[in-house]
Amino acid sequence: MTSRRPVFLSLLIAVVVAVGLFSPAVSASAPNVDKSLSSSAKSIPTPKNYFGFAMGTSGQLATNDKMMSYLKLTSQKSNRVKYYVAGKTTMGNDYPYLTISSPNNLRDIDRLAAINRRLSDPRGLSDDEARSLAKQGKPFLLIQSAIHSTEVGNTQALMDVVHRLATEQSDTVNGMLDKAVLIVVPSQNPDGTKLVNDYFNETAGTSYRRTYPDLYHKYTGHDDNRDWFMFTQVEPRYYIGLLAKYRPSAVHILHQMGANNDRIFVPPYKDPFDPSIDPRVVQTTSELGLGMGGALTRDGKKGVTWSSTYDWWLPSVFYEPYHGIPNVLTEIASAKDLAYPNTSADGKPLGPQDQRTNRVEPYDSATWTLEQIVAYAKTATFANIENVGKKGEDLLYNMYQVSRDNLKWKGDPYAYVVPADQRDPYAAYELLNTLQTGQIEIERATKPFTANGKEYAAGSHVIRMTQPYSRWADALLKIWEYPEIRACEECPITRPYDVTGHTLWMLFGASVDKVSKPFNASLQRVAKVQPAAVPMPPAPRGAYLVQPSSYGVGKFLAGLQKAGVPTFRTAKEFTSGGTKFAPGSLVVPPTEQARSVLTGLSQQTGIAVHGADKAPKVEGFQLKSGTKIGLFRGLNNMPGGWLWWLFEQYGVNSTNMGAGDFAGDLNDKYDTIVLPQGITRNTIVNGIPKAEVPERFHWAAGVGEEGLEKLRDFVEDGGTLVALGNASETARGLFDLPVKDTLPNPDDDFFVPGSLVEQEFDTTNPVAWGMPEKWPVWFHTNDAAFEVLDPAKAKVAAKYPASGELVKSGYGAGADKLHGLTDVASFEIGKGDVVIAGTQVTYRTWSRGTITMLFNAMYQGPSTKVAAPKLN
């Protein structure tokens, strides 16, 4: 039978072949080979003998390098295990994974994977043919661990799991391996596993804290598990490559959670679940989770809970369920300082003691150890492997049914349309590219068409819902409405585990239309999304011009700065060549160097560059050449890490600041300093005590009141300070800004847990140049919103409308308390400027559409006001 796969899937597979994810193809028919265990497997040392201690021994952690060495050795000696490296991680380490099964299955793995892919894209496949393929195939179970690198027990446990599967000759293990194929990712964040475990061993016997003090993913830290719909980092891209190649029937993600609650969580998840997820996936996930829970209880392991804490409202985390793959999560209670016994202070048993249907046997001890973490992880993992094998045919056929029903989609909408005429072409490109990375099929109109009574130009893009993974497209493009579920009429709502609104086009600042009814259009499948093709104008005599309406202009500002090209920004609207240019437009000299830079940036972003025979005579601001940005990242500060990544992606001339920077004059080193969310007065003044960490982390030590005074002097002497999120309170206090955060403490009367909320922008204000007059912004309950106490001293760039419905996607109890309040404002302080934003503006780099304001603020403060452009 010929395997048919979508064009994008073929492209994705081609990409991952290049980084080593795929092995060479094998015969389409299963070879008749020996199933027996290789004789060399008997010489594989146990983990205890190899590492010098049993996995789970209190106070002992195997390092990442030695664990990977052990897995390589196991692969070399056992014909049940194969070790691969998908590529290099963010910090240059290997991203390894294993395939584990019977020798027969491993020899036949390409054919078995092809069956999985065929069932997940069943165009032209009948129910009978699908059932036949399901009988021929084997279920694949992908096991992933340690995306959160301080959750150390699971990867340690996998050493025992792999050893047993590689060496044990028993009916139980032989049955597991004959019935299923395992794809094992021992660490989804190898950089963090190396940092955390190496640091733990390095600090043994010292007075230093035992947990790695900084971000354990270079940029995202704990948020590396919030990157499953943007795919900003390389590690999730490797992982979705594995999903595309092997198309597993189920995924098991091993996590750890807080130390003092239940001992282990397994599915079912609690309400609510996103209706974009297929009901079959929800039910199957619950079945597999309860199978693990039953095995744990039968094994005498207490404190098992389900239908608590974790819900289904997580597209930023749950990539797999939207692609028809049950995602089975285990969350095991953590130990003290990673690997030492945790004992309750009062001597009472740890965790809740009320006996319920979803907690049939509360934990009855006051102590919890790493050994128990490892033991619980192994019991759950083996139970799931066995259960997946037993359900193999049903899981494979279930995979087919989910995709088959998506192909027959008759619901609402019929499609989403991305119009060709976009205010921000770069936002539209990044939107489409993100969807395609997640295996969404995109078509492009070759002729104009009409849908839902609206005319669309040729070049518009269409995402029809009749495709295998349409539920993922719907999840990312729909308007989210979090349901109010209450245990009783007077009870508070069931609060979401994470955030509530993820409408991708709102986050990016692109326009997307939902079309409910079928329409006719001449459409062509897009093999690979490309930025809009915009030709460069002929070399002008006067100047090059760029509109400010795209957040991609941040790349232009950074790129022109890096090349040393003089750049002017207009303060008012003007007309050139019949085109109106908005305040904040870029005016660049017509040099060969400028043309080279602008050509490359335009090709990257799809942003048009215009030519003018005469430079516009309009007042504005000349950007300071070589503007230097200081990022006060802070130790273990995720918003700072995300900004670090963003600045590198955009080519910003930035430096991560440390305590040493305060030894001299800050104005000699920086033009603008950015304070991310989480940078408080205490962070700056006290920082991390030097006695608690090795010297290489002393850059994060406090700078004292003297350093705080230097930060004040920096602004008063002409510097620019940009403070985001709750760092705005740090700036407010330091400069006694005439604003007041009037929002109440989060409670049931005011609860906006990560939603898209309407704002208004003053597009004549330099900080809001290029923004639309209105657009939703990302707001979280812990963000600030200001009442301006002295309007004469505050230049408001962004505020919430005085009336009307504010929440555009997500949930917002009491959102009306935001009416009329200010989000972004600037202040003149001495010779310098302070810009504050109550929201983060760049939250997890999801909120792309508002990044413009950060770039505006960073470059505007150090600029010089002039009557007309200076182009030389």
Side-chain angles (χ1 to χ4, degrees), residues 599 739 778:
T599 299
V739 294
W778 185 267

Side-chain angles (χ1 to χ4, degrees), residues 76-88:
Q76 292 165 3
K77 291 182 174 291
S78 175
N79 58 351
R80 299 172 174 178
V81 180
K82 300 296 179 186
Y83 183 98
Y84 300 92
V85 174
K88 293 297 183 182

Side-chain angles (χ1 to χ4, degrees), residues 64 89 93-96 146 149 187-195 216 235:
N64 182 75
T89 62
N93 292 301
D94 287 346
Y95 179 102
S149 306
S187 175
Q188 176 58 25
N189 179 16
D191 295 341
T193 299
K194 181 173 175 60
L195 290 170
Y216 51 66
E235 292 85 3

Side-chain angles (χ1 to χ4, degrees), residues 632-661:
F632 199 107
R633 180 172 70 83
L635 196 68
N636 198 28
N637 178 275
M638 286 185 286
W642 280 110
L643 281 176
W644 183 11
W645 179 82
L646 178 72
F647 288 171
E648 286 191 356
Q649 296 300 303
Y650 277 65
V652 174
N653 179 22
S654 66
T655 302
N656 288 339
M657 297 178 66
D661 289 302

Side-chain angles (χ1 to χ4, degrees), residues 309-374:
T309 307
Y310 305 99
D311 59 33
W312 284 95
W313 206 262
L314 289 166
S316 62
V317 174
F318 279 170
Y319 176 84
E320 301 92 344
Y322 293 95
H323 290 73
I325 304 172
N327 183 330
V328 183
L329 176 71
T330 50
E331 293 268 1
I332 306 175
S334 295
K336 179 182 177 182
D337 288 340
L338 305 182
Y340 292 95
N342 178 44
T343 302
S344 63
D346 56 9
K348 294 181 180 179
L350 290 162
Q353 295 302 299
D354 49 327
Q355 197 166 17
R356 297 182 178 181
T357 305
N358 69 333
R359 185 187 301 112
V360 296
E361 198 169 19
Y363 187 66
D364 57 3
S365 173
T367 300
W368 178 251
T369 67
L370 179 63
E371 182 180 17
Q372 289 173 288
I373 295 171
V374 168

Side-chain angles (χ1 to χ4, degrees), residues 645-709:
W645 179 82
L646 178 72
F647 288 171
E648 286 191 356
Q649 296 300 303
Y650 277 65
V652 174
N653 179 22
S654 66
T655 302
N656 288 339
M657 297 178 66
D661 289 302
F662 288 78
D665 188 340
L666 288 172
N667 297 83
D668 291 339
K669 301 172 183 177
Y670 303 108
D671 298 302
T672 296
I673 292 174
V674 179
L675 303 183
Q677 164 88 2
I679 301 301
T680 64
R681 179 188 178 96
N682 182 64
T683 306
I684 298 170
V685 173
N686 298 318
I688 190 168
K690 292 182 179 180
E692 293 185 6
V693 295
E695 186 176 355
R696 65 182 183 275
F697 298 104
H698 289 183
W699 62 268
V703 296
E705 294 293 338
E706 180 184 352
L708 200 63
E709 189 63 32

Side-chain angles (χ1 to χ4, degrees), residues 701-734:
V703 296
E705 294 293 338
E706 180 184 352
L708 200 63
E709 189 63 32
K710 286 192 174 186
L711 189 59
R712 185 183 291 110
D713 291 342
F714 165 76
V715 173
E716 291 179 345
D717 291 343
T720 296
L721 182 71
V722 182
L724 307 177
N726 61 14
S728 60
E729 173 59 25
T730 306
R732 188 208 62 77
L734 182 59

Side-chain angles (χ1 to χ4, degrees), residues 811-846:
Y811 181 80
D816 59 329
K817 292 179 172 62
L818 291 166
H819 278 145
L821 295 181
T822 291
D823 181 25
V824 183
S826 59
F827 308 84
E828 294 181 4
I829 305 293
K831 298 178 183 178
D833 298 277
V834 173
V835 180
I836 60 171
T839 61
Q840 291 190 42
V841 178
T842 61
Y843 183 81
R844 292 176 177 167
T845 72
W846 294 356

